[in-house]
Amino acid sequence: MDLTEQINQLEADLQELGSLLEKAERKRVQELLKQEQNKVEKELAVKRQQKEKQAKRDADPSAASKAAYTVKITNYAWDQSEKFVKIYLTLKDVHKIPSENVEVNFTEKSFSVLIKDLNEKNHQMSILNMLYPIDEKESYKKIKTDMVLVMCKKKSTKKWECLTTLEKQSKDKDKPSMDENADPSDGLMSMLKKIYSEGDDEMKRTINKAWSESQEKKIRGEDMMDF
C-alpha cells in the first residue's frame, strides 16, 4: 500500500470516527472514540509529511544528497540575564534558510538544536544535564544574521555559575577541600604539594628555595628564644 492509499484510508477512518462520536451518548464511549481519533490524526499528519518529502525528492532528485551528513556544533557562547540563559550559535547564512529548518527542542534540563540543509549540511548540538531546571514552554529560539540564539527561560532568578552539572562538578573537583576543623597550615601544605607536583623545574626550584629559607628563619628564631 503506497502513501496515497494509506492517507486515503486514514482520512476515511477519521471521518467514520467523527460520525460515531456524534452519535455516541455514553461518556466512556466518547472518550475512547476521541482517543482513537487523536491517534489517527497524528498518524495522518506523519503520513502527509512523508508524502510531502517524497514529492520534493521526486521534483528534485539532487535534494536528497544536498544535506547528506550531519556535523556537530562545538563552538558556542553563553550568557545570562535575570530571567534567561542565552546560548549563541554562530552559523553563516543561517538567516537565509527557512525558519522551519531550525528546530530547537527543550526539556526541563536540556535542549537540542537541529539545523537542516545549511550550506549542504545538517548541524546538530545537544546540551544535557543543565545546571538548573528551565521552563521548556517559555523557552524559544531567535534567528538573527548568521546566528541562532537559544533562549532558555530560568525557573528561578538564581545566577548560573556554569551551563551544566558536569562543568560544576569539574570546577568543584579542582577546588581545594575546606574542612572547618582542619589546621589551616594543612591546607596550605596540600596546596603547595599540588603546585609542586604539577609545576615545572623552575617552579620546583622556587618552592624548594622558599621552603629552605622558611626553615632557616624558623631555626634562627628558635635559637634566639633559647638564648
Side-chain angles (χ1 to χ4, degrees):
M1 189 184 297
D2 64 15
L3 277 173
T4 302
E5 193 173 345
Q6 289 177 34
I7 289 168
N8 291 339
Q9 290 289 341
L10 288 167
E11 286 174 342
D13 289 347
L14 200 58
Q15 188 174 355
E16 191 165 332
L17 282 165
S19 177
L20 290 170
L21 190 57
E22 287 177 7
K23 295 174 183 175
E25 295 180 0
R26 298 188 62 79
K27 188 176 179 181
R28 187 178 178 186
V29 174
Q30 289 173 348
E31 286 176 355
L32 287 168
L33 287 169
K34 282 178 183 177
Q35 286 175 13
E36 189 62 27
Q37 194 177 46
N38 289 336
K39 184 180 172 183
V40 173
E41 282 174 349
K42 286 179 182 177
E43 192 176 348
L44 183 57
V46 170
K47 296 297 180 186
R48 282 173 174 165
Q49 193 175 29
Q50 287 176 354
K51 187 180 178 183
E52 188 180 341
K53 286 181 180 178
Q54 188 180 67
K56 285 181 180 178
R57 284 197 300 268
D58 292 343
D60 182 7
S62 64
S65 61
K66 283 182 180 176
Y69 64 99
T70 300
V71 295
K72 196 168 183 179
I73 301 169
T74 54
N75 292 326
Y76 63 87
W78 75 281
D79 194 5
Q80 63 184 304
S81 62
E82 187 178 328
K83 294 182 179 180
F84 286 90
V85 171
K86 309 169 189 177
I87 294 87
Y88 302 86
L89 309 177
T90 303
L91 294 153
K92 184 172 173 57
D93 296 333
V94 70
H95 59 288
K96 295 180 181 178
I97 64 173
S99 60
E100 58 267 24
N101 281 28
V102 181
E103 297 178 3
V104 183
N105 294 302
F106 300 92
T107 72
E108 191 178 52
K109 294 213 58 178
S110 72
F111 71 86
S112 62
V113 179
L114 177 61
I115 298 162
K116 299 176 181 176
D117 199 9
L118 172 62
N119 299 324
E120 301 186 0
K121 294 187 287 287
N122 295 332
H123 301 256
Q124 185 270 336
M125 78 170 292
S126 297
I127 297 291
L128 307 175
N129 300 315
M130 298 180 80
L131 188 61
Y132 299 117
I134 61 172
D135 186 338
E136 60 263 45
K137 291 181 181 177
E138 295 293 323
S139 298
Y140 58 95
K141 71 184 180 190
K142 278 185 180 180
I143 300 173
K144 300 189 172 187
T145 304
D146 296 330
M147 179 182 289
V148 176
L149 176 56
V150 182
M151 302 288 289
C152 299
K153 177 71 185 300
K154 293 179 177 179
K155 280 200 170 179
S156 72
T157 56
K158 189 183 294 186
K159 187 174 181 181
W160 291 34
E161 302 165 49
C162 45
L163 199 54
T164 67
T165 54
L166 191 63
E167 290 173 39
K168 178 76 164 58
Q169 288 166 3
S170 179
K171 283 186 178 181
D172 290 345
K173 189 178 178 182
D174 290 339
K175 288 180 183 176
S177 58
M178 299 297 289
D179 185 348
E180 291 180 4
N181 299 318
D183 186 337
S185 63
D186 290 343
L188 180 61
M189 286 298 297
S190 297
M191 186 177 69
L192 284 171
K193 285 177 182 176
K194 187 174 188 297
I195 294 170
Y196 186 86
S197 64
E198 294 176 358
D200 56 18
D201 291 342
E202 185 64 30
M203 178 63 75
K204 289 177 181 178
R205 280 196 293 271
T206 302
I207 293 172
N208 283 332
K209 184 180 177 184
W211 178 255
S212 298
E213 289 175 356
S214 170
Q215 291 302 304
E216 287 173 9
K217 286 179 183 178
K218 187 176 178 182
I219 292 167
R220 284 201 299 269
E222 288 174 354
D223 289 344
M224 290 174 69
M225 289 293 290
D226 291 341
F227 180 76

